[in-house]
Amino acid sequence: MRGKFISFEGIDGCGKTTQIKFLEEYLLKQGYNILVLREPGGTKVGEKVRDILLDKNNFISPVTEMLLYASSRAQLVEEKILPALEKGQIVILDRFVDSSYVYQGYARDLGMEKVKLVNEIATKGLLPDVTIYIDITPEEAMKRRGKREADRLEKESYEFHKKVREGYLKLIKGYSERFVFINGMKDSIKVHQEIIDAVEKYL
Ligand code: TMP
């Protein structure tokens, strides 16, 4: 039987990485066969592309940025995601194509059409079975980041992160059947419980 594909989305600092770890531990205890990956990255080539994308000393044009994210994604789909789904594994992915719609298409103003065109090639049309969107305000994200050194994207202005959140909220309205909206401002254990409740419906 084909596996399941779960992606996580949200603005930088929304708590995705912690929640993915909690979900992984929970599902492993239930005996599921899990593969956790991240974007950009998740493959040898993709991790190199990630270094280029997140290096705060690089100037990268919006189109180049879109293509680099898509190239990391194309490698991940071919090398890891499709084979894992064929083996029946549950793939948990820290960001997927929705990040490109929101960050490049909306916040960088490239437009949804260009992002869609490029990413249909990169993903071969693959979409997650369910996407967990963790919502927090950009103010809360900044507070959580504290004094930790920011990467190239995290260094963007408050306005940019506000636009990213706005982009997610618009995107979710358009694809409501695939997305699960989670209020990430709550205690992390409550957030975890809500995520489990949502994911179990799809397994
Ligand atoms: P991460 O910090 O969640 O690992 O993600 C890396 C950064 O890359 C984050 O700021 C979001 C951004 N990003 C995009 O702009 N477009 C994309 O397609 C992806 C996957 C991430």
Side-chain angles (χ1 to χ4, degrees), residues 24-69:
E24 180 186 15
E25 282 163 14
Y26 173 82
L27 292 175
L28 282 173
K29 271 193 208 138
Q30 307 287 310
Y32 288 106
N33 190 351
I34 313 287
L35 180 65
V36 178
L37 299 164
R38 70 169 177 184
E39 276 208 0
T43 62
K44 203 170 163 196
V45 165
E47 289 295 327
K48 288 189 177 171
V49 175
R50 179 183 179 90
D51 290 343
I52 297 171
L53 278 163
L54 299 189
D55 183 345
K56 60 181 186 312
N57 299 312
N58 285 342
F59 163 75
I60 302 178
S61 82
V63 172
T64 309
E65 189 177 88
M66 169 183 74
L67 293 170
L68 284 172
Y69 279 112

mmCIF file of all heavy atoms in Angstrom, residues 24-69:
data_model
loop_
_atom_site.group_PDB
_atom_site.id
_atom_site.type_symbol
_atom_site.label_atom_id
_atom_site.label_comp_id
_atom_site.label_asym_id
_atom_site.label_seq_id
_atom_site.Cartn_x
_atom_site.Cartn_y
_atom_site.Cartn_z
ATOM 1 N N GLU A 24 6.971 12.503 15.266
ATOM 2 C CA GLU A 24 7.798 11.353 14.881
ATOM 3 C C GLU A 24 7.868 10.356 16.044
ATOM 4 O O GLU A 24 7.633 9.155 15.855
ATOM 5 C CB GLU A 24 9.206 11.831 14.501
ATOM 6 C CG GLU A 24 10.108 10.670 14.083
ATOM 7 C CD GLU A 24 11.552 11.106 13.838
ATOM 8 O OE1 GLU A 24 11.929 12.220 14.247
ATOM 9 O OE2 GLU A 24 12.296 10.310 13.241
ATOM 10 N N GLU A 25 8.171 10.877 17.254
ATOM 11 C CA GLU A 25 8.281 9.992 18.432
ATOM 12 C C GLU A 25 6.959 9.264 18.686
ATOM 13 O O GLU A 25 6.934 8.063 18.938
ATOM 14 C CB GLU A 25 8.653 10.801 19.677
ATOM 15 C CG GLU A 25 10.136 11.146 19.709
ATOM 16 C CD GLU A 25 10.464 12.265 20.695
ATOM 17 O OE1 GLU A 25 9.613 12.592 21.549
ATOM 18 O OE2 GLU A 25 11.583 12.813 20.582
ATOM 19 N N TYR A 26 5.861 10.007 18.569
ATOM 20 C CA TYR A 26 4.536 9.421 18.808
ATOM 21 C C TYR A 26 4.243 8.304 17.790
ATOM 22 O O TYR A 26 3.836 7.194 18.162
ATOM 23 C CB TYR A 26 3.461 10.518 18.734
ATOM 24 C CG TYR A 26 2.062 9.984 18.808
ATOM 25 C CD1 TYR A 26 1.470 9.684 20.033
ATOM 26 C CD2 TYR A 26 1.337 9.747 17.638
ATOM 27 C CE1 TYR A 26 0.192 9.159 20.094
ATOM 28 C CE2 TYR A 26 0.055 9.227 17.694
ATOM 29 C CZ TYR A 26 -0.517 8.932 18.916
ATOM 30 O OH TYR A 26 -1.782 8.414 18.976
ATOM 31 N N LEU A 27 4.486 8.582 16.517
ATOM 32 C CA LEU A 27 4.147 7.595 15.482
ATOM 33 C C LEU A 27 5.073 6.374 15.536
ATOM 34 O O LEU A 27 4.643 5.251 15.267
ATOM 35 C CB LEU A 27 4.188 8.238 14.088
ATOM 36 C CG LEU A 27 3.084 9.277 13.817
ATOM 37 C CD1 LEU A 27 3.287 9.933 12.454
ATOM 38 C CD2 LEU A 27 1.687 8.659 13.882
ATOM 39 N N LEU A 28 6.336 6.609 15.907
ATOM 40 C CA LEU A 28 7.268 5.477 16.045
ATOM 41 C C LEU A 28 6.782 4.538 17.154
ATOM 42 O O LEU A 28 6.804 3.320 16.988
ATOM 43 C CB LEU A 28 8.687 5.971 16.364
ATOM 44 C CG LEU A 28 9.485 6.515 15.167
ATOM 45 C CD1 LEU A 28 10.798 7.133 15.630
ATOM 46 C CD2 LEU A 28 9.758 5.423 14.122
ATOM 47 N N LYS A 29 6.309 5.133 18.254
ATOM 48 C CA LYS A 29 5.786 4.323 19.371
ATOM 49 C C LYS A 29 4.583 3.492 18.933
ATOM 50 O O LYS A 29 4.333 2.416 19.442
ATOM 51 C CB LYS A 29 5.382 5.228 20.540
ATOM 52 C CG LYS A 29 6.533 5.477 21.487
ATOM 53 C CD LYS A 29 6.029 6.094 22.798
ATOM 54 C CE LYS A 29 7.121 6.944 23.412
ATOM 55 N NZ LYS A 29 6.640 8.206 23.956
ATOM 56 N N GLN A 30 3.817 4.045 17.973
ATOM 57 C CA GLN A 30 2.641 3.316 17.469
ATOM 58 C C GLN A 30 3.049 2.223 16.472
ATOM 59 O O GLN A 30 2.208 1.515 15.944
ATOM 60 C CB GLN A 30 1.688 4.260 16.711
ATOM 61 C CG GLN A 30 1.256 5.502 17.457
ATOM 62 C CD GLN A 30 0.269 5.181 18.551
ATOM 63 O OE1 GLN A 30 -0.715 4.501 18.313
ATOM 64 N NE2 GLN A 30 0.573 5.637 19.747
ATOM 65 N N GLY A 31 4.335 2.171 16.142
ATOM 66 C CA GLY A 31 4.831 1.123 15.243
ATOM 67 C C GLY A 31 4.850 1.503 13.764
ATOM 68 O O GLY A 31 5.067 0.642 12.907
ATOM 69 N N TYR A 32 4.640 2.780 13.455
ATOM 70 C CA TYR A 32 4.665 3.197 12.043
ATOM 71 C C TYR A 32 6.103 3.328 11.546
ATOM 72 O O TYR A 32 7.022 3.605 12.326
ATOM 73 C CB TYR A 32 3.962 4.550 11.859
ATOM 74 C CG TYR A 32 2.461 4.471 11.992
ATOM 75 C CD1 TYR A 32 1.823 4.961 13.128
ATOM 76 C CD2 TYR A 32 1.688 3.927 10.968
ATOM 77 C CE1 TYR A 32 0.450 4.906 13.256
ATOM 78 C CE2 TYR A 32 0.307 3.858 11.085
ATOM 79 C CZ TYR A 32 -0.311 4.357 12.233
ATOM 80 O OH TYR A 32 -1.663 4.289 12.350
ATOM 81 N N ASN A 33 6.263 3.132 10.248
ATOM 82 C CA ASN A 33 7.562 3.281 9.585
ATOM 83 C C ASN A 33 7.651 4.715 9.029
ATOM 84 O O ASN A 33 6.916 5.061 8.115
ATOM 85 C CB ASN A 33 7.619 2.227 8.466
ATOM 86 C CG ASN A 33 8.987 2.116 7.852
ATOM 87 O OD1 ASN A 33 9.873 2.946 8.132
ATOM 88 N ND2 ASN A 33 9.168 1.116 7.017
ATOM 89 N N ILE A 34 8.520 5.523 9.647
ATOM 90 C CA ILE A 34 8.516 6.970 9.376
ATOM 91 C C ILE A 34 9.782 7.417 8.679
ATOM 92 O O ILE A 34 10.874 6.932 8.992
ATOM 93 C CB ILE A 34 8.496 7.759 10.728
ATOM 94 C CG1 ILE A 34 7.465 7.223 11.675
ATOM 95 C CG2 ILE A 34 8.351 9.259 10.517
ATOM 96 C CD1 ILE A 34 6.068 7.540 11.298
ATOM 97 N N LEU A 35 9.657 8.386 7.783
ATOM 98 C CA LEU A 35 10.833 9.057 7.228
ATOM 99 C C LEU A 35 10.615 10.567 7.373
ATOM 100 O O LEU A 35 9.643 11.108 6.846
ATOM 101 C CB LEU A 35 11.015 8.694 5.745
ATOM 102 C CG LEU A 35 12.219 9.354 5.064
ATOM 103 C CD1 LEU A 35 13.540 8.865 5.658
ATOM 104 C CD2 LEU A 35 12.208 9.084 3.559
ATOM 105 N N VAL A 36 11.518 11.218 8.125
ATOM 106 C CA VAL A 36 11.406 12.673 8.320
ATOM 107 C C VAL A 36 12.448 13.368 7.453
ATOM 108 O O VAL A 36 13.618 13.002 7.468
ATOM 109 C CB VAL A 36 11.615 13.053 9.811
ATOM 110 C CG1 VAL A 36 11.550 14.568 9.992
ATOM 111 C CG2 VAL A 36 10.571 12.379 10.682
ATOM 112 N N LEU A 37 11.989 14.347 6.693
ATOM 113 C CA LEU A 37 12.884 15.092 5.796
ATOM 114 C C LEU A 37 12.616 16.582 5.937
ATOM 115 O O LEU A 37 11.587 16.979 6.472
ATOM 116 C CB LEU A 37 12.611 14.671 4.341
ATOM 117 C CG LEU A 37 12.843 13.209 3.979
ATOM 118 C CD1 LEU A 37 12.166 12.870 2.661
ATOM 119 C CD2 LEU A 37 14.331 12.896 3.912
ATOM 120 N N ARG A 38 13.569 17.385 5.412
ATOM 121 C CA ARG A 38 13.329 18.831 5.466
ATOM 122 C C ARG A 38 13.627 19.479 4.121
ATOM 123 O O ARG A 38 14.400 18.961 3.317
ATOM 124 C CB ARG A 38 14.188 19.476 6.541
ATOM 125 C CG ARG A 38 15.678 19.490 6.204
ATOM 126 C CD ARG A 38 16.429 20.367 7.177
ATOM 127 N NE ARG A 38 17.856 20.344 6.913
ATOM 128 C CZ ARG A 38 18.745 20.970 7.667
ATOM 129 N NH1 ARG A 38 18.357 21.635 8.717
ATOM 130 N NH2 ARG A 38 20.028 20.928 7.361
ATOM 131 N N GLU A 39 13.010 20.638 3.944
ATOM 132 C CA GLU A 39 13.268 21.449 2.750
ATOM 133 C C GLU A 39 13.686 22.846 3.160
ATOM 134 O O GLU A 39 13.107 23.380 4.116
ATOM 135 C CB GLU A 39 12.000 21.568 1.920
ATOM 136 C CG GLU A 39 11.760 20.434 1.002
ATOM 137 C CD GLU A 39 10.953 20.891 -0.215
ATOM 138 O OE1 GLU A 39 10.597 22.081 -0.316
ATOM 139 O OE2 GLU A 39 10.678 20.053 -1.052
ATOM 140 N N PRO A 40 14.557 23.510 2.441
ATOM 141 C CA PRO A 40 15.381 22.871 1.421
ATOM 142 C C PRO A 40 16.347 21.915 2.091
ATOM 143 O O PRO A 40 16.708 22.099 3.237
ATOM 144 C CB PRO A 40 16.123 24.056 0.796
ATOM 145 C CG PRO A 40 16.147 25.111 1.841
ATOM 146 C CD PRO A 40 14.894 24.934 2.629
ATOM 147 N N GLY A 41 16.749 20.870 1.356
ATOM 148 C CA GLY A 41 17.671 19.884 1.903
ATOM 149 C C GLY A 41 17.124 18.476 1.781
ATOM 150 O O GLY A 41 16.364 18.174 0.868
ATOM 151 N N GLY A 42 17.563 17.602 2.708
ATOM 152 C CA GLY A 42 17.041 16.229 2.743
ATOM 153 C C GLY A 42 17.780 15.248 1.853
ATOM 154 O O GLY A 42 17.564 14.045 1.945
ATOM 155 N N THR A 43 18.630 15.766 0.942
ATOM 156 C CA THR A 43 19.495 14.911 0.113
ATOM 157 C C THR A 43 20.871 15.571 0.140
ATOM 158 O O THR A 43 20.996 16.729 0.548
ATOM 159 C CB THR A 43 19.029 14.862 -1.359
ATOM 160 O OG1 THR A 43 19.104 16.191 -1.899
ATOM 161 C CG2 THR A 43 17.629 14.320 -1.504
ATOM 162 N N LYS A 44 21.881 14.855 -0.367
ATOM 163 C CA LYS A 44 23.243 15.415 -0.367
ATOM 164 C C LYS A 44 23.281 16.706 -1.193
ATOM 165 O O LYS A 44 23.781 17.744 -0.750
ATOM 166 C CB LYS A 44 24.196 14.363 -0.947
ATOM 167 C CG LYS A 44 25.612 14.552 -0.512
ATOM 168 C CD LYS A 44 26.454 13.355 -0.920
ATOM 169 C CE LYS A 44 27.910 13.762 -0.847
ATOM 170 N NZ LYS A 44 28.775 12.838 -1.563
ATOM 171 N N VAL A 45 22.680 16.634 -2.377
ATOM 172 C CA VAL A 45 22.657 17.815 -3.262
ATOM 173 C C VAL A 45 21.786 18.914 -2.650
ATOM 174 O O VAL A 45 22.148 20.094 -2.630
ATOM 175 C CB VAL A 45 22.135 17.406 -4.660
ATOM 176 C CG1 VAL A 45 21.743 18.614 -5.491
ATOM 177 C CG2 VAL A 45 23.174 16.578 -5.377
ATOM 178 N N GLY A 46 20.640 18.514 -2.122
ATOM 179 C CA GLY A 46 19.699 19.480 -1.546
ATOM 180 C C GLY A 46 20.292 20.237 -0.361
ATOM 181 O O GLY A 46 20.020 21.424 -0.174
ATOM 182 N N GLU A 47 21.109 19.559 0.445
ATOM 183 C CA GLU A 47 21.725 20.237 1.597
ATOM 184 C C GLU A 47 22.733 21.287 1.120
ATOM 185 O O GLU A 47 22.897 22.323 1.748
ATOM 186 C CB GLU A 47 22.393 19.224 2.551
ATOM 187 C CG GLU A 47 21.398 18.361 3.338
ATOM 188 C CD GLU A 47 20.516 19.141 4.342
ATOM 189 O OE1 GLU A 47 20.979 20.143 4.909
ATOM 190 O OE2 GLU A 47 19.345 18.747 4.525
ATOM 191 N N LYS A 48 23.375 21.011 -0.014
ATOM 192 C CA LYS A 48 24.300 22.020 -0.570
ATOM 193 C C LYS A 48 23.513 23.224 -1.067
ATOM 194 O O LYS A 48 23.909 24.378 -0.880
ATOM 195 C CB LYS A 48 25.138 21.416 -1.705
ATOM 196 C CG LYS A 48 26.162 20.448 -1.186
ATOM 197 C CD LYS A 48 27.129 20.000 -2.254
ATOM 198 C CE LYS A 48 28.182 19.090 -1.628
ATOM 199 N NZ LYS A 48 29.039 18.437 -2.601
ATOM 200 N N VAL A 49 22.385 22.958 -1.702
ATOM 201 C CA VAL A 49 21.524 24.053 -2.179
ATOM 202 C C VAL A 49 21.012 24.846 -0.964
ATOM 203 O O VAL A 49 20.936 26.082 -0.995
ATOM 204 C CB VAL A 49 20.341 23.501 -3.020
ATOM 205 C CG1 VAL A 49 19.383 24.609 -3.411
ATOM 206 C CG2 VAL A 49 20.856 22.782 -4.263
ATOM 207 N N ARG A 50 20.690 24.136 0.122
ATOM 208 C CA ARG A 50 20.221 24.810 1.350
ATOM 209 C C ARG A 50 21.274 25.802 1.856
ATOM 210 O O ARG A 50 20.951 26.930 2.227
ATOM 211 C CB ARG A 50 19.927 23.757 2.435
ATOM 212 C CG ARG A 50 19.454 24.362 3.743
ATOM 213 C CD ARG A 50 19.244 23.309 4.826
ATOM 214 N NE ARG A 50 18.812 23.938 6.060
ATOM 215 C CZ ARG A 50 17.549 24.158 6.410
ATOM 216 N NH1 ARG A 50 16.571 23.757 5.626
ATOM 217 N NH2 ARG A 50 17.253 24.765 7.531
ATOM 218 N N ASP A 51 22.543 25.349 1.855
ATOM 219 C CA ASP A 51 23.612 26.243 2.326
ATOM 220 C C ASP A 51 23.651 27.526 1.498
ATOM 221 O O ASP A 51 23.817 28.612 2.045
ATOM 222 C CB ASP A 51 24.975 25.539 2.245
ATOM 223 C CG ASP A 51 25.097 24.431 3.291
ATOM 224 O OD1 ASP A 51 24.304 24.432 4.253
ATOM 225 O OD2 ASP A 51 25.979 23.558 3.128
ATOM 226 N N ILE A 52 23.489 27.392 0.190
ATOM 227 C CA ILE A 52 23.512 28.587 -0.681
ATOM 228 C C ILE A 52 22.322 29.481 -0.332
ATOM 229 O O ILE A 52 22.455 30.694 -0.164
ATOM 230 C CB ILE A 52 23.428 28.182 -2.182
ATOM 231 C CG1 ILE A 52 24.643 27.352 -2.579
ATOM 232 C CG2 ILE A 52 23.279 29.426 -3.070
ATOM 233 C CD1 ILE A 52 24.551 26.735 -3.977
ATOM 234 N N LEU A 53 21.142 28.862 -0.199
ATOM 235 C CA LEU A 53 19.920 29.647 0.027
ATOM 236 C C LEU A 53 19.912 30.377 1.367
ATOM 237 O O LEU A 53 19.385 31.483 1.468
ATOM 238 C CB LEU A 53 18.699 28.732 -0.055
ATOM 239 C CG LEU A 53 18.216 28.434 -1.471
ATOM 240 C CD1 LEU A 53 17.298 27.222 -1.488
ATOM 241 C CD2 LEU A 53 17.499 29.639 -2.065
ATOM 242 N N LEU A 54 20.470 29.754 2.399
ATOM 243 C CA LEU A 54 20.350 30.353 3.739
ATOM 244 C C LEU A 54 21.555 31.207 4.133
ATOM 245 O O LEU A 54 21.512 31.895 5.156
ATOM 246 C CB LEU A 54 20.091 29.263 4.789
ATOM 247 C CG LEU A 54 18.799 28.454 4.590
ATOM 248 C CD1 LEU A 54 18.521 27.559 5.789
ATOM 249 C CD2 LEU A 54 17.576 29.340 4.325
ATOM 250 N N ASP A 55 22.597 31.181 3.302
ATOM 251 C CA ASP A 55 23.803 31.968 3.616
ATOM 252 C C ASP A 55 23.479 33.462 3.546
ATOM 253 O O ASP A 55 23.144 33.995 2.485
ATOM 254 C CB ASP A 55 24.899 31.601 2.604
ATOM 255 C CG ASP A 55 26.215 32.314 2.911
ATOM 256 O OD1 ASP A 55 26.218 33.279 3.702
ATOM 257 O OD2 ASP A 55 27.234 31.903 2.332
ATOM 258 N N LYS A 56 23.603 34.121 4.700
ATOM 259 C CA LYS A 56 23.179 35.531 4.737
ATOM 260 C C LYS A 56 24.121 36.447 3.958
ATOM 261 O O LYS A 56 23.812 37.617 3.743
ATOM 262 C CB LYS A 56 22.993 36.009 6.178
ATOM 263 C CG LYS A 56 24.200 35.931 7.059
ATOM 264 C CD LYS A 56 23.816 36.432 8.442
ATOM 265 C CE LYS A 56 24.978 36.529 9.390
ATOM 266 N NZ LYS A 56 25.850 35.369 9.464
ATOM 267 N N ASN A 57 25.263 35.924 3.506
ATOM 268 C CA ASN A 57 26.175 36.749 2.699
ATOM 269 C C ASN A 57 25.858 36.690 1.210
ATOM 270 O O ASN A 57 26.488 37.384 0.421
ATOM 271 C CB ASN A 57 27.629 36.314 2.927
ATOM 272 C CG ASN A 57 28.013 36.492 4.384
ATOM 273 O OD1 ASN A 57 27.753 37.543 4.966
ATOM 274 N ND2 ASN A 57 28.580 35.457 4.990
ATOM 275 N N ASN A 58 24.899 35.832 0.810
ATOM 276 C CA ASN A 58 24.569 35.716 -0.614
ATOM 277 C C ASN A 58 23.471 36.685 -1.007
ATOM 278 O O ASN A 58 22.444 36.781 -0.321
ATOM 279 C CB ASN A 58 24.078 34.297 -0.942
ATOM 280 C CG ASN A 58 25.208 33.298 -0.974
ATOM 281 O OD1 ASN A 58 26.375 33.674 -1.091
ATOM 282 N ND2 ASN A 58 24.878 32.027 -0.874
ATOM 283 N N PHE A 59 23.660 37.360 -2.159
ATOM 284 C CA PHE A 59 22.546 38.084 -2.766
ATOM 285 C C PHE A 59 21.925 37.128 -3.781
ATOM 286 O O PHE A 59 22.615 36.642 -4.681
ATOM 287 C CB PHE A 59 23.006 39.374 -3.461
ATOM 288 C CG PHE A 59 21.944 39.873 -4.402
ATOM 289 C CD1 PHE A 59 20.794 40.489 -3.895
ATOM 290 C CD2 PHE A 59 22.040 39.661 -5.769
ATOM 291 C CE1 PHE A 59 19.778 40.895 -4.743
ATOM 292 C CE2 PHE A 59 21.019 40.069 -6.633
ATOM 293 C CZ PHE A 59 19.894 40.697 -6.111
ATOM 294 N N ILE A 60 20.645 36.853 -3.666
ATOM 295 C CA ILE A 60 19.972 35.915 -4.576
ATOM 296 C C ILE A 60 18.722 36.596 -5.120
ATOM 297 O O ILE A 60 17.880 37.060 -4.344
ATOM 298 C CB ILE A 60 19.598 34.604 -3.836
ATOM 299 C CG1 ILE A 60 20.861 33.949 -3.251
ATOM 300 C CG2 ILE A 60 18.887 33.639 -4.762
ATOM 301 C CD1 ILE A 60 20.599 32.678 -2.452
ATOM 302 N N SER A 61 18.570 36.652 -6.435
ATOM 303 C CA SER A 61 17.386 37.308 -7.015
ATOM 304 C C SER A 61 16.157 36.432 -6.754
ATOM 305 O O SER A 61 16.289 35.205 -6.578
ATOM 306 C CB SER A 61 17.569 37.521 -8.516
ATOM 307 O OG SER A 61 17.258 36.337 -9.204
ATOM 308 N N PRO A 62 14.956 37.010 -6.731
ATOM 309 C CA PRO A 62 13.751 36.201 -6.459
ATOM 310 C C PRO A 62 13.570 35.014 -7.411
ATOM 311 O O PRO A 62 13.199 33.920 -6.965
ATOM 312 C CB PRO A 62 12.614 37.220 -6.602
ATOM 313 C CG PRO A 62 13.240 38.515 -6.214
ATOM 314 C CD PRO A 62 14.650 38.454 -6.753
ATOM 315 N N VAL A 63 13.874 35.199 -8.711
ATOM 316 C CA VAL A 63 13.691 34.077 -9.654
ATOM 317 C C VAL A 63 14.699 32.971 -9.357
ATOM 318 O O VAL A 63 14.358 31.781 -9.340
ATOM 319 C CB VAL A 63 13.819 34.548 -11.125
ATOM 320 C CG1 VAL A 63 13.835 33.361 -12.075
ATOM 321 C CG2 VAL A 63 12.679 35.492 -11.485
ATOM 322 N N THR A 64 15.954 33.377 -9.105
ATOM 323 C CA THR A 64 16.979 32.367 -8.769
ATOM 324 C C THR A 64 16.556 31.626 -7.505
ATOM 325 O O THR A 64 16.679 30.398 -7.417
ATOM 326 C CB THR A 64 18.344 33.058 -8.536
ATOM 327 O OG1 THR A 64 18.613 33.888 -9.643
ATOM 328 C CG2 THR A 64 19.450 32.048 -8.352
ATOM 329 N N GLU A 65 16.049 32.370 -6.548
ATOM 330 C CA GLU A 65 15.613 31.777 -5.280
ATOM 331 C C GLU A 65 14.530 30.713 -5.535
ATOM 332 O O GLU A 65 14.619 29.582 -5.054
ATOM 333 C CB GLU A 65 15.074 32.886 -4.380
ATOM 334 C CG GLU A 65 14.788 32.440 -2.968
ATOM 335 C CD GLU A 65 14.329 33.616 -2.099
ATOM 336 O OE1 GLU A 65 13.115 33.894 -2.077
ATOM 337 O OE2 GLU A 65 15.169 34.248 -1.458
ATOM 338 N N MET A 66 13.540 31.073 -6.359
ATOM 339 C CA MET A 66 12.455 30.128 -6.667
ATOM 340 C C MET A 66 13.022 28.854 -7.312
ATOM 341 O O MET A 66 12.622 27.737 -6.965
ATOM 342 C CB MET A 66 11.455 30.801 -7.614
ATOM 343 C CG MET A 66 10.436 29.854 -8.199
ATOM 344 S SD MET A 66 9.328 30.667 -9.375
ATOM 345 C CE MET A 66 10.394 30.892 -10.788
ATOM 346 N N LEU A 67 13.965 29.046 -8.241
ATOM 347 C CA LEU A 67 14.520 27.894 -8.972
ATOM 348 C C LEU A 67 15.389 27.028 -8.056
ATOM 349 O O LEU A 67 15.386 25.800 -8.173
ATOM 350 C CB LEU A 67 15.323 28.372 -10.183
ATOM 351 C CG LEU A 67 14.476 29.028 -11.288
ATOM 352 C CD1 LEU A 67 15.366 29.680 -12.338
ATOM 353 C CD2 LEU A 67 13.545 28.016 -11.957
ATOM 354 N N LEU A 68 16.120 27.656 -7.156
ATOM 355 C CA LEU A 68 16.954 26.873 -6.228
ATOM 356 C C LEU A 68 16.083 26.034 -5.285
ATOM 357 O O LEU A 68 16.363 24.865 -5.051
ATOM 358 C CB LEU A 68 17.878 27.795 -5.423
ATOM 359 C CG LEU A 68 19.099 28.340 -6.179
ATOM 360 C CD1 LEU A 68 19.824 29.391 -5.351
ATOM 361 C CD2 LEU A 68 20.069 27.218 -6.550
ATOM 362 N N TYR A 69 15.025 26.639 -4.745
ATOM 363 C CA TYR A 69 14.122 25.855 -3.889
ATOM 364 C C TYR A 69 13.516 24.700 -4.693
ATOM 365 O O TYR A 69 13.399 23.578 -4.196
ATOM 366 C CB TYR A 69 13.011 26.731 -3.294
ATOM 367 C CG TYR A 69 13.456 27.518 -2.085
ATOM 368 C CD1 TYR A 69 13.572 28.904 -2.123
ATOM 369 C CD2 TYR A 69 13.775 26.872 -0.891
ATOM 370 C CE1 TYR A 69 13.985 29.628 -1.008
ATOM 371 C CE2 TYR A 69 14.197 27.583 0.225
ATOM 372 C CZ TYR A 69 14.297 28.965 0.165
ATOM 373 O OH TYR A 69 14.728 29.658 1.265
#
